[in-house]
Amino acid sequence: MLQRRHAVPILAALAVLVAVTTGQALSGRGATATAATSGVLATTAGCGQAPALTSGTRTIQSGGQNRTYILRVPDNYDSSRPYKLIFALHWLNGTAQNVSSAGFYGLQPLSGNSAIFVAPQGIDNGWANTNGRDLTLVDDLTRLVEGGLCVDTTQVFALGWSYGGAMSYAIACARPTVFRAVTVLSGANLSGCNGGTQPVAYFGIHGTHDSVLNISNGRSLRDTFVRNNGCTAQSPREPAQGSLTHITTAYSGCRAGYPVQWAAFDGDHTPSPVDGSGSPNDARTWTSGEIWKFFSQFQNTTPPSSPPVSSPPPSSTPPSSTPPSSSPPPSGQPGACTATYRAVNSWPGGFQGEVTVTNGGSSTLSGWTTRLTLASGQAISSLWNGTNTGTTGNVTVRNAAYNGTLGAGATTTFGFTATGPSTPAPSGITCTSP
């Protein structure tokens, strides 16, 4: 198992520090360390060297296979400055490009060039982690980046939504002394949990009426680290359906340096929930800011040296939830279908939108199709919870295999990122059903 290197002073008079391990070392992780006024930074072989890696889409040999990933190196990279390393994992049927084009879940624009971002590509656009192959990829990428760039090894993080959240949970279980903290958005135990008894700072985010991966899955993952981190067990408040709000709870009693945070929002299966009605004042999802704040609290700190609290291992039986099926939705009687758009986020040269599909009739929908018109210069770069035909001008979006059946009054959403100006908003939005 990979282990985080802990930096300890050896010759105080010379301010020489070396990195030591708590077990088997991560091969290639540097033995250099530098002192900072705010703490001790355990740095890597890439520090002080000409950068061996640059931003772009790359290939790596891992587990006997060619695997791809997207690397984002900070602007004005300085090899004498240790950077955070953040893995951002895509959802089922998503891609590394989707993650990169959306700013690595919105963290890259907030990072102020303080972090190196990696978006790996899953096999078959998922994270089955068969025989630990995806953990091996994460190990190999960590070793590669730390060998070629300057990384603070106490500042390695992972996050992802849906299947990407499941993989982030697997990383937390299996690499607790390598990763300082993880964030799991709308996840479940789909990629396994090898280990899962050691503390890791943990932030879980989940919709209260998630129609793909029920919120009970997110609570179960969270509670693994409530136990591991020695936190006081509780049932955090969650918002009522229809409130269009979120509630974030920080657990009490956790072992120093290993917090657990939980955010439940009134919404479905989406990576970018927005409080309120989606008016211009609510045009930015709150998740990016809260995740960045959670990760940033560990800046320039070494992990606590006290031994982990003892806790019973979680059940080895995964929840019953599985990735969304590729089978078609069951048949049903048609209903009245409507669709509404709201802006979620924007940045120079791009934006993110969400469309809510509602069954306004008294009978069940057995599939839906929406149409919308993008303004000149706008082009969809990624889309989730639906299948689109076309990316510019008149675009058609049909339901995914898992969200086509809507009971009377039920809703679902699909989201997308696009290049181009965020205004005017897509127009001519319609919805039809069989």
Side-chain angles (χ1 to χ4, degrees):
M1 180 179 294
L2 304 181
Q3 302 293 329
R4 176 186 289 125
R5 295 179 177 272
H6 301 287
V8 295
I10 299 298
L11 298 175
L14 298 177
V16 177
L17 300 169
V18 297
V20 298
T21 63
T22 58
Q24 181 180 349
L26 172 61
S27 174
R29 212 160 191 169
T32 17
T34 59
T37 56
S38 56
V40 175
L41 302 183
T43 60
T44 61
C47 295
Q49 307 296 322
L53 299 168
T54 56
S55 297
T57 301
R58 300 181 165 275
T59 302
I60 185 174
Q61 273 281 324
S62 178
Q65 293 181 290
N66 281 325
R67 303 290 299 267
T68 61
Y69 66 99
I70 294 177
L71 178 68
R72 178 64 166 84
V73 180
D75 297 334
N76 302 316
Y77 169 79
D78 180 355
S79 66
S80 67
R81 172 188 177 184
Y83 291 84
K84 293 179 176 67
L85 175 58
I86 300 177
F87 283 81
L89 300 143
H90 63 75
W91 48 95
L92 178 64
N93 295 327
T95 65
Q97 181 60 45
N98 294 157
V99 171
S100 174
S101 65
F104 299 87
Y105 291 100
L107 298 193
Q108 193 272 328
L110 299 177
S111 68
N113 289 313
S114 66
I116 299 163
F117 289 89
V118 180
Q121 179 62 47
I123 295 174
D124 297 326
N125 290 357
W127 301 105
N129 195 30
T130 304
N131 297 322
R133 66 189 182 192
D134 295 320
L135 279 170
T136 298
L137 174 64
V138 171
D139 294 345
D140 291 341
L141 286 172
T142 303
R143 182 180 300 111
L144 178 71
V145 174
E146 291 185 349
L149 298 170
C150 189
V151 175
D152 177 0
T153 62
T154 73
Q155 297 286 287
V156 183
F157 305 94
L159 78 158
W161 172 62
S162 196
Y163 219 160
M167 188 61 207
S168 298
Y169 174 72
I171 289 171
C173 289
R175 302 293 183 261
T177 55
V178 176
F179 283 78
R180 188 68 187 86
V182 303
T183 296
V184 174
L185 298 97
S186 307
N189 188 350
L190 307 175
S191 305
C193 180
N194 180 16
T197 62
Q198 298 300 309
V200 175
Y202 187 89
F203 187 11
I205 300 173
H206 217 109
T208 56
H209 48 101
D210 191 318
S211 60
V212 178
L213 296 172
N214 189 274
I215 191 172
S216 61
N217 293 286
R219 294 175 187 142
S220 176
L221 306 192
R222 172 202 69 196
D223 290 346
T224 297
F225 289 96
V226 169
R227 293 191 299 269
N228 294 354
N229 298 7
C231 309
T232 302
Q234 60 174 291
S235 297
R237 290 178 55 240
E238 295 176 350
Q241 187 164 344
S243 64
L244 298 177
T245 60
H246 76 282
I247 298 175
T248 301
T249 301
Y251 274 72
S252 61
C254 302
R255 175 186 168 193
Y258 290 100
V260 171
Q261 193 164 288
W262 173 249
F265 63 89
D266 173 33
D268 202 339
H269 195 64
T270 174
S272 304
V274 177
D275 287 348
S277 62
S279 66
N281 291 333
D282 295 320
R284 186 181 180 90
T285 182
W286 49 267
T287 57
S288 303
E290 291 206 14
I291 295 168
W292 182 250
K293 181 179 178 182
F294 185 76
F295 285 169
S296 296
Q297 69 182 301
F298 307 109
Q299 187 171 6
N300 297 345
T301 60
T302 54
S305 58
S306 58
V309 296
S310 60
S311 59
S315 171
S316 60
T317 303
S320 58
S321 296
T322 58
S325 169
S326 60
S327 59
S331 60
Q333 297 299 317
C337 177
T338 61
T340 55
Y341 171 83
R342 69 176 178 180
V344 175
N345 200 353
S346 64
W347 51 88
F351 65 98
Q352 179 176 339
E354 181 181 81
V355 174
T356 299
V357 177
T358 302
N359 178 6
S362 59
S363 56
T364 298
L365 285 179
S366 59
W368 48 263
T369 300
T370 65
R371 293 175 175 82
L372 62 156
T373 301
L374 299 181
S376 176
Q378 296 176 340
I380 291 176
S381 53
S382 64
L383 186 142
W384 52 91
N385 289 352
T387 301
N388 60 297
T389 301
T391 58
T392 60
N394 296 324
V395 176
T396 299
V397 180
R398 293 179 173 83
N399 59 274
Y402 51 84
N403 64 353
T405 301
L406 296 177
T411 65
T412 189
T413 62
F414 69 85
F416 63 89
T417 57
T419 56
S422 59
T423 56
S427 60
I429 303 175
T430 63
C431 183
T432 58
S433 59

